[in-house]
Amino acid sequence: QVQLAESGGGLVQTGGSMRLSCAASRTIFSFNVMGWYRQAPGKQRELVASIRNGGSTNYADSVKGRFTISRDNAKNTVALQMNSLKPEDTAVYYCNAADYFRTYWGQGTQVTVSS
């Protein structure tokens, strides 16, 4: 049973920064890709950023230049550094990991950006 545990959410003002972290219960080398998704009230869950085993990254247009995804292979963690936060970034953020067989999700962490 793979577990993904998010941490680092909370309340921040517009223009502020926040760092989310996701700790996996097994080596992250076993996943083809890891990423962060978010879901705002009344909206569908959307991809925020992803990082593949080789290190290539992908970002949603809305966060390019503001968010950075990174991985620490030694600690089996993936982080999302969020800068210049906007009220529209308010959502529940979910850690995601995928191997050849299935996709795994964390419980989610709330990020609220006040205007």
Side-chain angles (χ1 to χ4, degrees), residues 1 4 6 38 42 69 84 106:
Q1 182 82 16
L4 302 174
E6 302 102 336
R38 67 186 180 187
I69 190 170
S84 302

Side-chain angles (χ1 to χ4, degrees), residues 24-42:
S25 60
R26 75 183 199 204
T27 174
I28 60 175
F29 280 119
S30 64
F31 303 118
N32 300 324
V33 61
M34 296 189 72
W36 290 91
Y37 286 70
R38 67 186 180 187
Q39 188 167 18

Side-chain angles (χ1 to χ4, degrees), residues 42-105:
K43 295 188 177 181
Q44 289 189 333
R45 192 172 297 189
E46 62 175 358
L47 174 68
V48 176
S50 64
I51 184 165
R52 303 195 72 85
N53 249 345
S56 61
T57 57
N58 181 47
Y59 295 93
D61 287 343
S62 59
V63 307
K64 282 181 181 177
R66 300 189 297 122
F67 290 12
T68 302
I69 190 170
S70 61
R71 55 192 290 158
D72 186 328
N73 295 327
K75 296 182 178 179
N76 292 323
T77 58
V78 174
L80 184 68
Q81 177 66 43
M82 305 184 292
N83 299 327
S84 302
L85 282 161
K86 305 175 181 180
E88 50 264 44
D89 295 318
T90 295
V92 178
Y93 283 70
Y94 297 91
C95 181
N96 170 278
D99 57 26
Y100 288 109
F101 304 102
R102 59 169 292 182
T103 298
Y104 308 91
W105 294 94

Side-chain angles (χ1 to χ4, degrees), residues 13-24:
Q13 291 187 333
T14 296
S17 297
M18 183 176 288
R19 185 177 180 87
L20 304 181
S21 183
C22 173

